[in-house]
Amino acid sequence: MHGRPRKATKPDDTVSAAKAAQLRSLQDQLLQYHHDKIYTKEALEIGAKLVEVNPEHYTAWNYRKLAVDNILISETDPDAIKSILNQELRVVESALRRNFKCYSAWYHRKWVLNKGFLSFDKEFRLLDQFQRLDSRNFHAWNYRRYVASLKNLSLEEELKFTTDMIDTNFSNYSAWHNRSVLLSDLLKQKAQGFADREKILTEEYELVHQAIFTDPDDQSGWFYHLWLLDQTVKPDSPVLVASWPPQGSDLMLSFEHNFSGGALLPFRSVYSDKGVFPVVLYFNQAVGGVDSSAITIEYMFNKNEDLTWMPLSTDNSGSAQAWVTYLNFPDAKGLSKSHPVDVKFGHSQGIVTSTGCHYCHSSQFAFTVRLHSIDPERSEVGSDIEMVVWKDDNFNANEKPIWDLSSIGSFDQLRIDKECEQKTYSWHAETISNEIALFRELLSEIDCKIGKLTLARLLKAHDAMMSYQLPSQQKRIHSEEVLDLFIDLMKLDPCHSRFYKDEHSLVLLEQMTSTSDSLLRYCCQYNDQTSLSLHNLICLRLKNMSLSRIGFSERLLWVQMLDLSHNELHSIEGLEAMQLLSCLNLSNNKLRSLTALEPLRLLKSLKVLDISYNEIGAHYIDTTRYLCASPLSQAVGTDWNINDVTNGVSMREYWEAVVIFKGLHLTQLDVVGNAIADEKFKIVLSKVLPCLKWLDGEEVH
């Protein structure tokens, strides 16, 4: 670990053969005891010999747990119990001396300690021995935290221990990590001496500067500096950074797709044949607990308690940055054409992060929805489903009418507590500015990869902070410098070029989406004269930008048509928040598998999708396959039939396609140019997508 590989000595063939024979004999005996449920002291001695030879034999450790529990059941003498447990500790210690990075041995020692009858002093003496052998051994540090919690050692004492270890050797990643864990708890508790957050963090910056400037090539201090930067710019409690609809917007909900008013109000018109209208909340970090008790929506057609909030995330964790609920507006004549909607939250502490921080800002926003009912005289006009053609001629890039931009709204990502805004902002700004100056000076003397990465992060944080404090200054003044830094890093560190490329893409997207004016440069009207239903729809065209990652989705919640073709996307994570998205072009990217498309499952409005000319099916190894919901997962649904066969094609063979596309109402799909796109695959698509009319430019019969 941490650059210290295990050193394997060259074995002697005769000795190795003897050891292998001994190991096989011990293993066979123990497995037989395990099978026959024999839990005698003699059996434990066999197990002890086995874990001494091979400490990573986890079955032997599990057997020992069963055996010890069985023996302790019939034992009532406290001294005898203590003797048995001490013997277990000696067995573990012997195994750890052979391999002190063995997970199973450390877990077994924790299990023994939970039985009681332990000596804390002995445990700390043992830890001192192992930490002298390798002061960065994270197993020993994890165990130390465990023992310290059992002994009820104060966090302050343990923090002092990390200081001593760091003073002894700056290159101690585990000590720095433990320090971040302890400080997080102390600052959260506002313990005595730790109530002044800014003072404590300033002192920590001074400490880590010593480590970084002593040895800039050692990464331990740099990682701690990254944690400090996160503590400096990120608020503890979650904050709402965007919503759709935004505050004060006046929207038009049409029940017919060929509504001519959409041409006049392109950013304010929403089409839904069923009158379903999404409300999206986007937070600065993943939160849970978003439900009708935490969020109150007042409008005339549904009771608030009947609304269901869903996390827009593919990890099934129950938390997400973006959450959605759907309002229902009936298409009924005689009803008022304009309906106000009020959204209130923050009145309860239900919304919470994974670290236990609650949403504590009382918030409210309102918008109006005007209904446009179906005109009986026009209900049959344009009822056929036209095909979307993504060629440049169909997008009017030169004509920019005066559009109403009231529906393009978002909050800045950075938020500072209003009660101490000025004081806190001053400290933030001064700290970040000092760090920028410091690392500029360092980089003028040495060429350091992680130094450049840190400077890029500092510059991004500075720009975000300035744009919040000075809303008129929307331009990121350091964007070009940050882009240049990531380009340099791609050349200096090609092994991590994909990470730098992703960061470079995020900076580009931030530039393009920072203001309404900058976004409008990439907006075009779809002007295919043969299409009545989509004519004049606004398309955000981010094609051919060399983007490898999606970001800042909170600024794109209004987008209904998106062109991301001819980029370098290998993931589409982030698109799931864009609940209005109906037309999406992902052609000519670097998507490697169907499971990389999992965010599409959450886009219920999606009708048109182009994933042609990617790399789907061309790679034998799918790195996202086991992260995706599967037929073995309840997330797929109870009506899944893995043994279904259609026209001689087994659904089992294409379960990824079924999982991704099932539940979508696509009318047009393009998959040509992918290795997977054969006739069998098209049969599966036709089966899974009953609404599909156009497949690879041809009408589906």
Side-chain angles (χ1 to χ4, degrees):
M1 284 294 174
H2 311 304
R4 294 188 181 182
R6 298 176 186 173
K7 297 179 180 179
T9 56
K10 188 175 182 180
D12 178 86
D13 292 341
T14 304
V15 175
S16 296
K19 285 186 176 179
Q22 179 193 15
L23 184 61
R24 281 194 297 269
S25 175
L26 292 170
Q27 183 173 282
D28 291 343
Q29 291 181 70
L30 181 129
L31 292 177
Q32 189 62 50
Y33 287 141
H34 198 0
H35 180 268
D36 297 337
K37 297 183 179 180
I38 297 174
Y39 304 124
T40 63
K41 291 183 179 180
E42 292 76 14
L44 277 174
E45 290 176 4
I46 295 296
K49 292 177 181 178
L50 177 57
V51 294
E52 184 177 351
V53 176
N54 180 14
E56 297 189 35
H57 199 300
Y58 61 85
T59 301
W61 291 112
N62 290 337
Y63 170 76
R64 294 192 71 82
K65 292 180 178 67
L66 293 172
V68 170
D69 278 338
N70 188 270
I71 293 171
L72 291 178
I73 288 174
S74 58
E75 190 61 72
T76 58
D77 182 9
D79 290 335
I81 294 174
K82 186 175 181 179
S83 176
I84 293 169
L85 295 178
N86 281 334
Q87 174 59 24
E88 283 304 294
L89 292 176
R90 284 192 290 270
V91 170
V92 175
E93 183 175 343
S94 177
L96 288 173
R97 292 193 184 282
R98 185 174 183 87
N99 175 12
F100 60 83
K101 295 183 178 180
C102 176
Y103 285 90
S104 300
W106 285 109
Y107 287 144
H108 192 74
R109 196 168 187 91
K110 286 183 180 180
W111 178 82
V112 176
L113 259 61
N114 275 329
K115 298 290 184 180
F117 302 96
L118 71 157
S119 168
F120 290 116
D121 292 338
K122 182 178 179 180
E123 295 306 302
F124 280 114
R125 284 197 300 271
L126 180 68
L127 282 168
D128 288 340
Q129 294 176 25
F130 285 126
Q131 288 182 316
R132 278 199 298 270
L133 291 172
D134 180 3
S135 62
R136 302 184 297 180
N137 182 0
F138 70 86
H139 298 280
W141 280 95
N142 286 339
Y143 187 70
R144 183 182 183 88
R145 282 193 291 272
Y146 178 75
V147 176
S149 66
L150 289 180
K151 192 179 179 181
N152 291 321
L153 281 181
S154 69
L155 297 178
E156 291 86 348
E157 287 182 72
E158 285 299 285
L159 186 67
K160 183 180 182 304
F161 178 76
T162 65
T163 304
D164 294 339
M165 296 295 287
I166 290 169
D167 287 343
T168 302
N169 179 12
F170 281 137
S171 181
N172 192 332
Y173 177 86
S174 295
W176 287 109
H177 170 70
N178 200 43
R179 190 174 186 84
S180 69
V181 173
L182 294 167
L183 265 179
S184 294
D185 290 339
L186 287 166
L187 291 171
K188 186 176 180 180
Q189 297 170 10
K190 294 186 177 179
Q192 185 176 0
F194 294 86
D196 190 341
R197 183 184 183 88
E198 288 74 28
K199 177 178 177 293
I200 296 298
L201 292 181
T202 299
E203 292 172 352
E204 293 302 303
Y205 273 114
E206 293 172 357
L207 175 64
V208 79
H209 289 161
Q210 297 177 44
I212 290 174
F213 280 81
T214 299
D215 184 4
D217 292 328
D218 183 80
Q219 295 187 2
S220 303
W222 289 104
F223 281 113
Y224 189 71
H225 187 276
L226 175 60
W227 176 80
L228 282 177
L229 177 59
D230 192 52
Q231 300 304 302
T232 303
V233 301
K234 183 180 178 182
D236 291 330
S237 59
V239 174
L240 183 73
V241 293
S243 69
W244 197 90
Q247 161 65 18
S249 54
D250 184 10
L251 304 169
M252 179 74 71
L253 176 62
S254 173
F255 291 81
E256 54 180 341
H257 217 160
N258 55 342
F259 168 50
S260 59
L264 301 175
L265 305 169
F267 291 103
R268 295 172 50 196
S269 301
V270 180
Y271 162 73
S272 174
D273 56 353
K274 297 179 180 179
V276 177
F277 187 90
V279 175
V280 179
L281 301 179
Y282 201 105
F283 298 88
N284 67 325
Q285 54 187 304
V287 297
V290 178
D291 55 29
S292 57
S293 64
I295 310 287
T296 301
I297 297 184
E298 297 177 359
Y299 83 121
M300 68 176 296
F301 296 113
N302 285 95
K303 294 181 179 179
N304 180 66
E305 55 267 25
D306 295 334
L307 298 176
T308 300
W309 286 90
M310 295 179 293
L312 294 173
S313 172
T314 59
D315 61 10
N316 297 318
S317 65
S319 64
Q321 282 189 264
W323 286 75
V324 65
T325 192
Y326 298 96
L327 309 183
N328 290 292
F329 290 89
D331 179 28
K333 292 185 177 180
L335 289 174
S336 170
K337 295 291 184 178
S338 182
H339 303 280
V341 181
D342 282 319
V343 183
K344 302 176 183 177
F345 53 101
H347 50 274
S348 71
Q349 295 219 336
I351 302 174
V352 62
T353 68
S354 60
T355 58
C357 295
H358 293 271
Y359 188 92
C360 55
H361 309 279
S362 182
S363 306
Q364 178 179 358
F365 65 92
F367 56 91
T368 302
V369 178
R370 288 190 286 154
L371 304 182
H372 183 272
S373 302
I374 296 176
D375 186 345
E377 297 181 0
R378 297 178 41 148
S379 60
E380 299 301 322
V381 179
S383 59
D384 290 337
I385 301 173
E386 302 96 350
M387 184 174 67
V388 173
V389 181
W390 293 95
K391 64 181 182 180
D392 292 341
D393 293 346
N394 286 337
F395 294 94
N396 199 337
N398 295 322
E399 296 181 12
K400 299 287 185 182
I402 300 176
W403 285 323
D404 179 1
L405 305 179
S406 62
S407 294
I408 301 180
S410 69
F411 303 96
D412 203 311
Q413 280 193 309
L414 185 63
R415 284 292 181 270
I416 301 173
D417 189 351
K418 298 295 182 182
E419 295 179 1
C420 55
E421 178 175 346
Q422 192 56 47
K423 176 187 172 184
T424 308
Y425 169 74
S426 299
W427 178 82
H428 283 313
E430 182 181 356
T431 300
I432 297 299
S433 297
N434 289 342
E435 294 299 299
I436 290 173
L438 200 64
F439 289 112
R440 285 195 195 280
E441 180 183 349
L442 177 65
L443 291 174
S444 69
E445 299 174 1
I446 61 171
D447 196 15
C448 175
K449 292 182 293 187
I450 197 166
K452 289 190 174 186
L453 178 59
T454 301
L455 179 59
R457 287 167 168 160
L458 287 166
L459 294 172
K460 287 173 63 180
H462 180 271
D463 281 357
M465 189 178 305
M466 293 301 295
S467 66
Y468 171 78
Q469 187 67 16
L470 303 171
S472 59
Q473 183 183 311
Q474 294 291 341
K475 179 178 172 56
R476 268 51 175 174
I477 59 176
H478 294 112
S479 291
E480 293 303 326
E481 183 179 359
V482 174
L483 290 172
D484 290 339
L485 284 168
F486 284 124
I487 291 173
D488 286 346
L489 285 166
M490 282 185 255
K491 297 174 182 176
L492 285 171
D493 189 11
C495 292
H496 300 99
S497 59
R498 179 164 161 174
F499 168 77
Y500 301 131
K501 179 65 176 175
D502 286 351
E503 293 297 309
H504 184 274
S505 297
L506 290 178
V507 178
L508 278 178
L509 281 166
E510 186 175 24
Q511 279 187 322
M512 292 184 282
T513 62
S514 59
T515 67
S516 298
D517 289 339
S518 60
L519 266 173
L520 281 180
R521 289 198 288 269
Y522 303 96
C523 291
C524 303
Q525 283 186 318
Y526 182 70
N527 282 331
D528 186 351
Q529 299 298 327
T530 64
S531 173
L532 294 174
S533 63
L534 297 172
H535 186 62
N536 286 318
L537 189 66
I538 298 299
C539 177
L540 180 62
R541 304 195 79 198
L542 302 178
K543 62 179 295 186
N544 203 23
M545 299 284 183
S546 297
L547 300 176
S548 62
R549 181 180 172 185
I550 303 297
F552 299 96
S553 301
E554 69 273 18
R555 301 175 182 177
L556 306 176
L557 302 179
W558 53 273
V559 175
Q560 300 182 54
M561 190 175 196
L562 178 62
D563 186 353
L564 288 167
S565 62
H566 296 86
N567 280 296
E568 301 173 24
L569 295 174
H570 49 80
S571 166
I572 59 170
E573 184 179 359
L575 290 183
E576 63 272 9
M578 300 167 62
Q579 289 294 294
L580 298 183
L581 201 57
S582 61
C583 303
L584 176 61
N585 187 356
L586 295 170
S587 65
N588 293 278
N589 275 283
K590 294 185 177 181
L591 299 171
R592 296 164 57 96
S593 64
L594 287 169
T595 51
L597 301 174
E598 190 175 13
L600 297 181
R601 297 174 57 227
L602 300 171
L603 297 179
K604 302 305 181 183
S605 298
L606 193 62
K607 303 292 184 184
V608 176
L609 175 64
D610 188 346
I611 54 173
S612 60
Y613 299 101
N614 275 275
E615 302 172 10
I616 300 173
H619 300 274
Y620 180 73
I621 298 176
D622 177 3
T623 57
T624 59
R625 183 185 181 97
Y626 300 105
L627 300 175
C628 179
S630 74
L632 302 178
S633 168
Q634 295 181 356
V636 175
T638 56
D639 56 345
W640 163 265
N641 183 6
I642 195 172
N643 297 313
D644 192 12
V645 177
T646 301
N647 294 336
V649 180
S650 171
M651 296 292 108
R652 177 191 294 269
E653 185 179 351
Y654 294 95
W655 69 262
E656 298 100 325
V658 178
V659 168
I660 299 302
F661 294 116
K662 186 180 182 181
L664 294 181
H665 303 285
L666 294 179
T667 58
Q668 177 180 330
L669 176 61
D670 292 277
V671 297
V672 67
N674 290 286
I676 198 174
D678 56 14
E679 289 304 315
K680 292 170 63 178
F681 182 62
K682 293 181 180 180
I683 291 173
V684 172
L685 294 177
S686 299
K687 170 72 174 179
V688 174
L689 296 167
C691 299
L692 195 64
K693 182 173 182 180
W694 302 98
L695 180 58
D696 287 338
E698 297 181 357
E699 193 167 359
V700 177
H701 298 287

